């Protein structure tokens, strides 16, 4: 079983949509979900079928780490060289938040040295992204547009 982890800040207003999403996900794949705890109590997270863990445990045990956090002083460079080093060598980092959540130089280094297996990103630390940004040419990086707001639904 693969472990899919989300770095999320969840408030009570988000509990119902997450409950529906969890239900849909369980029917499509066999994955365990853990969430790094920030603003929700353990009982609320457990009701969603997830588990509160430390960030260290989340990074060490996850096959996929998906960052979906707000950008603020506490989350700027949340993912840095030390945190990438805590991840499994077979793990993938996905940043769906804002570019500065990840220290881009540390991410590039972790990818070049195969500290982590790969990354999926739709945001960059400096935007618009420079055409010579190393992330654009790496074979272990998937880059997509940050275009959720362009959906019809």
């Amino acid at each position: 079983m693969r472990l899919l982890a989300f770095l999320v800040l969840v408030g009570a207003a988000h509990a119902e949509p997450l409950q529906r999403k969890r239900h849909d996900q369980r029917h499509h794949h066999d994955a365990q979900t853990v969430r790094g705890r920030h603003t929700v109590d353990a009982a609320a997270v457990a009701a969603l079928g997830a588990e509160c863990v430390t960030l260290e445990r989340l990074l060490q045990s996850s096959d996929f780490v998906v960052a979906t956090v707000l950008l603020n002083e506490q989350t700027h460079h949340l993912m840095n060289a030390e945190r990438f080093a805590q991840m499994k060598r077979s793990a993938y980092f996905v940043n769906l938040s804002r570019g500065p959540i990840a220290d881009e130089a540390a991410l590039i280094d972790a990818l070049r040295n195969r500290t982590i297996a790969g990354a999926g990103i739709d945001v960059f630390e400096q935007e618009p992204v420079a055409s010579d940004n190393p992330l654009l040419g790496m074979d272990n990086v998937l880059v997509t547009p940050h275009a959720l707001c362009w959906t019809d639904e």
Side-chain angles (χ1 to χ4, degrees), residues 62-103:
S62 300
D63 297 299
F64 298 90
V65 175
V66 182
T68 58
V69 299
L70 300 172
L71 178 60
N72 58 36
E73 289 180 17
Q74 290 76 33
T75 61
H76 183 267
H77 286 184
L78 174 70
M79 293 301 297
N80 55 28
E82 178 184 343
R83 297 225 167 99
F84 287 122
Q86 291 175 341
M87 293 174 64
K88 296 178 184 180
R89 293 184 70 81
S90 59
Y92 291 83
F93 173 69
V94 180
N95 187 2
L96 303 176
S97 300
R98 295 288 182 245
I101 296 298
D103 177 341

Side-chain angles (χ1 to χ4, degrees), residues 14-53:
H14 301 294
E16 185 180 337
L18 284 173
Q19 179 67 32
R20 284 195 306 269
K21 187 172 185 176
R22 184 184 126 259
H23 174 75
D24 292 343
Q25 288 174 343
R26 283 216 167 146
H27 293 290
H28 292 13
H29 58 78
D30 183 23
Q32 179 183 359
T33 303
V34 296
R35 289 181 170 81
R37 183 176 178 272
H38 248 281
T39 60
V40 190
D41 66 271
V45 172
L48 297 173
E51 174 186 5
C52 288
V53 297

